[in-house]
């Protein structure tokens, strides 16, 4: 497996982690009214969106490399 | 005599340093790093298995979320993700023949690794101030063992990238393809280290 493929897998897993943490934060907020959990959700929603945008651009360029 | 010596030197040259071996499809260093990473998967796999066994066998298990420094761990998560991007950019620039940008992105990866370790140092310092040590509980023992071992791997990455940034970069003048391959191999190792953290973060800090 090349670095290119490993990177694609890694970024995909990071997006999955972002989705997981975002959902976890919402559930934690509902259960314990923890605003810091909701803050974590916000951070990972923004981070996940940035990763999706990066993946959209970078994966195509990496394929041509 | 001279022709014989030249022939002997040619015979001693190690094959498949740059081009992949036809039967494996991998050059030497890439085959080596994947064998090494396979052993690393077993090492961290054993630790994750221990965590699962300890946790399922314990009547109560503390939630890292309630007392660990989650904001710092979140920063570290994004720092490591950024470092995986910089290492790929370093390799891509070297493939395109651009040493200057390649080295700049290697330096960026190095910087991210150092930031991660400094943050980890602050986190450990806070835990010790709160009198939480590996002997405190099974959770803290697992926390220090796994994050400590991961931190050692990050430190290993720092040494590797420092080498390729300074003395190792001399190879660019004599063998560009081989230097680029070395950065790819270092990048594979670095992605594995980042991947371990991606599993450690939710396991120790959230669940």
């Amino acid at each position: 497996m090349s670095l290119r493929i490993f990177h694609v897998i890694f970024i995909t897993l990071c997006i999955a982690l972002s989705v997981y943490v975002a959902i976890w934060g919402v559930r934690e907020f509902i259960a314990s009214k923890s605003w810091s959990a909701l803050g974590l959700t916000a951070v990972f929603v923004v981070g996940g969106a940035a990763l999706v945008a990066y993946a959209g651009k970078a994966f195509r360029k990496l394929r041509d490399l | 005599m001279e022709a014989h010596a030249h022939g002997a030197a040619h015979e001693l040259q190690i094959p498949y340093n740059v081009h992949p071996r036809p039967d494996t499809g991998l050059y030497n260093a890439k085959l080596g790093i994947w064998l090494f990473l396979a052993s690393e998967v077993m090492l961290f796999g054993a630790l994750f298995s221990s965590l699962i066994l300890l946790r399922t066998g314990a009547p109560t298990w503390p939630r890292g979320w309630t007392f660990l420094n989650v904001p710092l761990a979140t920063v570290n998560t994004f720092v490591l993700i950024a470092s995986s991007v910089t290492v790929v950019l370093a390799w891509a620039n070297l493939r395109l023949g651009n040493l200057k940008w390649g080295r700049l992105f290697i330096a960026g990866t190095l910087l991210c690794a150092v930031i991660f370790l400094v943050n980890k140092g602050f986190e450990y310092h806070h835990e010790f101030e709160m009198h939480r040590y590996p002997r405190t509980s099974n959770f803290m023992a697992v926390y220090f063992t796994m994050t400590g071992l991961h931190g050692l791997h990050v430190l290993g990455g720092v040494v590797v990238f420092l080498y390729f940034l300074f003395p190792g970069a001399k190879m660019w003048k004599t063998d560009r393809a081989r230097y680029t391959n070395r950065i790819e191999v270092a990048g594979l190792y670095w992605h594995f280290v980042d991947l371990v953290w991606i599993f450690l973060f939710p396991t120790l800090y959230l669940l």
Side-chain angles (χ1 to χ4, degrees), chain A residues 1 3 7 10 20 24 28, chain B residues 34 63 84 184 191 207:
Chain A
M1 192 195 295
L3 180 60
H7 186 63
F10 177 74
Y20 170 77
W24 176 89
E28 190 67 22
Chain B
W34 277 114
R63 296 186 71 200
S84 80
E184 183 183 19
H191 271 68
L207 296 174

Side-chain angles (χ1 to χ4, degrees), chain B:
Chain B
M1 183 72 179
E2 196 181 321
H4 178 73
H6 180 76
H10 184 74
E11 279 171 24
L12 285 173
Q13 212 169 30
I14 300 169
Y16 311 116
N17 265 330
V18 174
H19 302 293
R21 209 181 134 112
D23 52 356
T24 61
L26 302 169
Y27 54 84
N28 291 345
K30 200 188 268 187
L31 181 65
I33 197 71
W34 277 114
L35 286 174
F36 173 67
L37 292 183
S39 74
E40 291 282 85
V41 167
M42 287 183 250
L43 174 65
F44 280 101
L47 289 171
F48 273 103
S49 303
S50 305
L51 168 63
I52 292 166
L53 282 174
L54 284 170
R55 189 171 175 160
T56 50
T60 57
W61 190 259
R63 296 186 71 200
W65 163 252
T66 55
F67 59 94
L68 291 178
N69 196 334
V70 178
L72 209 53
T74 304
V75 170
N76 267 351
T77 303
F78 285 105
V79 164
L80 281 192
I81 294 171
S83 76
S84 80
V85 172
T86 53
V87 79
V88 165
L89 288 173
W91 172 69
N93 274 285
L94 292 174
R95 265 186 81 102
L96 296 170
N98 195 336
L99 178 66
K100 189 187 159 193
W101 280 96
R103 286 181 81 178
L104 205 69
F105 282 117
I106 292 172
T109 310
L110 197 58
L111 183 69
C112 288
V114 170
I115 290 171
F116 179 91
L117 287 175
V118 169
N119 281 346
K120 191 50 75 186
F122 282 126
E123 206 181 315
Y124 277 12
H125 179 71
H126 174 72
E127 295 308 322
F128 295 147
E129 269 189 343
M130 302 302 288
H131 301 288
R132 285 194 285 263
Y133 304 101
R135 66 169 182 266
T136 307
S137 65
N138 276 349
F139 176 85
M140 290 315 292
V142 167
Y143 166 82
F144 280 113
T145 304
M146 294 183 87
T147 58
L149 189 65
H150 178 264
L152 281 177
H153 281 75
V154 174
L155 191 63
V158 168
V159 173
V160 168
F161 287 121
L162 265 176
Y163 173 76
F164 286 133
L165 187 60
F166 298 112
K170 283 178 195 160
M171 188 186 272
W172 180 260
K173 287 178 188 163
T174 54
D175 199 343
R176 282 185 179 197
R178 198 170 167 195
Y179 181 69
T180 307
N181 281 353
R182 284 184 165 196
I183 297 300
E184 183 183 19
V185 165
L188 286 169
Y189 168 78
W190 193 247
H191 271 68
F192 174 79
V193 172
D194 295 351
L195 194 63
V196 169
W197 180 257
I198 292 302
F199 284 99
L200 277 179
F201 175 69
T203 310
L204 293 176
Y205 291 85
L206 303 183
L207 296 174

Side-chain angles (χ1 to χ4, degrees), chain A residues 43-59:
Chain A
V43 169
F44 274 88
V45 164
V46 173
L51 281 172
V52 169
Y54 165 76
K57 280 189 179 179
F59 289 1

Side-chain angles (χ1 to χ4, degrees), chain A:
Chain A
M1 192 195 295
S2 66
L3 180 60
R4 192 185 340 223
I5 297 168
F6 201 177
H7 186 63
V8 169
I9 293 169
F10 177 74
I11 294 295
T12 309
L13 280 170
C14 288
I15 293 168
L17 173 81
S18 300
V19 172
Y20 170 77
V21 177
I23 294 169
W24 176 89
V26 171
R27 288 180 67 173
E28 190 67 22
F29 176 73
I30 292 166
S32 61
K33 293 282 174 280
S34 165
W35 285 96
S36 48
L38 206 60
L40 198 65
T41 294
V43 169
F44 274 88
V45 164
V46 173
L51 281 172
V52 169
Y54 165 76
K57 280 189 179 179
F59 289 1
R60 218 170 302 144
K61 282 190 179 175
L62 277 175
R63 199 173 43 198
D64 300 336
L65 197 70

